[in-house]
Structures are given as C-alpha cells and as structure tokens.
Amino acid sequence: MNATTTAVDRTSARPARLWKATLIAIPIITLVFLLWLQQLKVSALRQRTVSSYGTVPEFVLVNQDGQNFGSTQLHGKIWIADFIYTTCPGPCPMISSRMSELQKPLEKTDVHLVSFSVDPAKDTPQVLRGYAEKLQAEPGRWDFLTGPQSTIYSLSRYGFKLAVSDGSEDKGIPVHSTRMILVDRQGVIRGYYDAAEVDAVTKLVADTTHLLREQPAK
C-alpha cells in the first residue's frame, strides 16, 4: 500500500515540477528573445546608409550669451539642429526634451546642438539663456540662436527645406517643423528626424555615430 502511494505521489510530482520549470523558463526565454530583437535593431541601425539633402548656407546669428554664432563656429563639426521658441504652447517642449536626451549619449564627442528660435522678437539672448538653463544645456555644446526673423525663416525654408510661418494666419502663433536635422562636417544635411516619433533619438544617435566613424574629428 505504501509503495503504491509513493509511486502515485512521484507520478503526481512530475507534472508539478515540469510546470514550475516551465514558469521559470518562460520569462528567461522571453528576455533572451527581446535582447536578440534589440541587438538586431541596433545592428540594422548601424548598417543604415546616411543620405545627403543639400548644404546649409552660411549664416550668422546671436546665441544665448549675446555672442555671434553661425557657420564659422560650426565649421568642421557634426551638428544637430531644431527650430523652436520659448513660449511655444505646442510641440517645442517635446522637441527640446528630445534634444536634451542627445546630450548624454553624445557627451564624449564633438557633436554640437543648435536650436533656432522662430520667434526672435521675443526670444532675446537673455530669454534663451534662461530657457537653456531650464534644459540643463551644456555650455559650449548647445547654442540657442536668435536674430533677424528674415534670416532665420530663410534658413529654415531654403537652407533646411522646412516649412515655417510667423502665424499671422493663425492668431500670431509661429508654425514650424518638429524635425531635428543632422548636419555633417562639410555642412551637408544628412538626415531628418521627427521629434514626435518614439524612436527619433535612437535613429539620430545611430546615424550620428555612423557619421563620427565616417568623418572622425581631426
């Protein structure tokens, strides 16, 4: 009788042990699978070719420190640009947040960040300096530019091929692109990245890293 009971107990224990092993294995297998997918994604991004979209024309504006800043200061550097304004009730905080996210992964490079204000009448150097401080922008690595509206709007339309408007048809609220722009060491536009997309920063960092290998600092 005891032998029979022991045999039954052993038989019953096998499915239980198998079930426990399955419960332990499922999350491990899932984690390995997710890591594999992530590695494939990173590998694919690294192998992406970075296109060319024309050259940014020469320009000179004023940064948050009241200093002239433009093509001369960016000569020979890889840089990333965006168009925002400090009182923006729409996408600007999100765009600036994305730009801020770029600081950490690119901190050991010479990549420069540049934000152009599309509301230069209100965004004085002092105002932009306060905006930069809120974003914890690294001095000397991220410049916020203001200047003649005609210069900035022409640069957006004809230099970066991005739409921009002073908002005269829409209650005076400036309208601008949510794209971030990657520019190489020769001043050539190499990519556009919509800040509204979840993987914008991932793609931008991958392409910037590709450019850093293609065009190492001298």
Side-chain angles (χ1 to χ4, degrees), residues 3 73 90 110:
Q73 288 70 31
D110 66 338

Side-chain angles (χ1 to χ4, degrees), residues 17 22 26 34 59 62 68 70 73 75 84 96 105-106 111 150 153 160 164 167 169 183 192-193 211 213:
R17 286 197 299 269
T22 302
I26 286 175
L34 290 175
F59 68 92
V62 178
N68 284 348
Q73 288 70 31
H75 180 71
I84 49 89
S96 295
L106 299 175
V111 176
S150 58
Y153 279 35
F160 289 102
V164 65
E169 303 88 13
V183 184
Y192 293 91
Y193 311 83
L211 276 188
R213 290 196 300 267

Side-chain angles (χ1 to χ4, degrees), residues 23-79:
L23 290 178
I24 293 172
I26 286 175
I28 294 175
I29 293 172
T30 302
L31 178 59
V32 171
F33 180 68
L34 290 175
L35 289 174
W36 178 70
L37 285 179
Q38 181 65 24
Q39 188 60 40
L40 281 182
K41 182 177 180 181
V42 171
S43 178
L45 286 172
R46 285 176 177 170
Q47 294 173 15
R48 279 165 27 112
T49 56
V50 185
S51 303
S52 299
Y53 299 92
T55 303
V56 178
E58 298 286 318
F59 68 92
V60 178
L61 293 166
V62 178
N63 69 8
Q64 70 269 33
D65 296 319
Q67 303 294 319
N68 284 348
F69 189 95
S71 304
T72 299
Q73 288 70 31
L74 293 168
H75 180 71
K77 293 183 178 179
I78 293 172
W79 52 289

Side-chain angles (χ1 to χ4, degrees), residues 181-196:
I181 311 99
L182 176 62
V183 184
D184 70 14
R185 297 189 192 279
Q186 280 73 52
V188 177
I189 298 171
R190 301 297 295 272
Y192 293 91
Y193 311 83
D194 193 333

Side-chain angles (χ1 to χ4, degrees), residues 63-65 86 123-137 144:
N63 69 8
Q64 70 269 33
D65 296 319
T86 61
D123 286 341
T124 62
Q126 183 178 4
V127 170
L128 289 175
R129 187 162 57 252
Y131 190 71
E133 290 172 355
K134 289 180 180 178
L135 290 168
Q136 298 183 327
F144 296 76

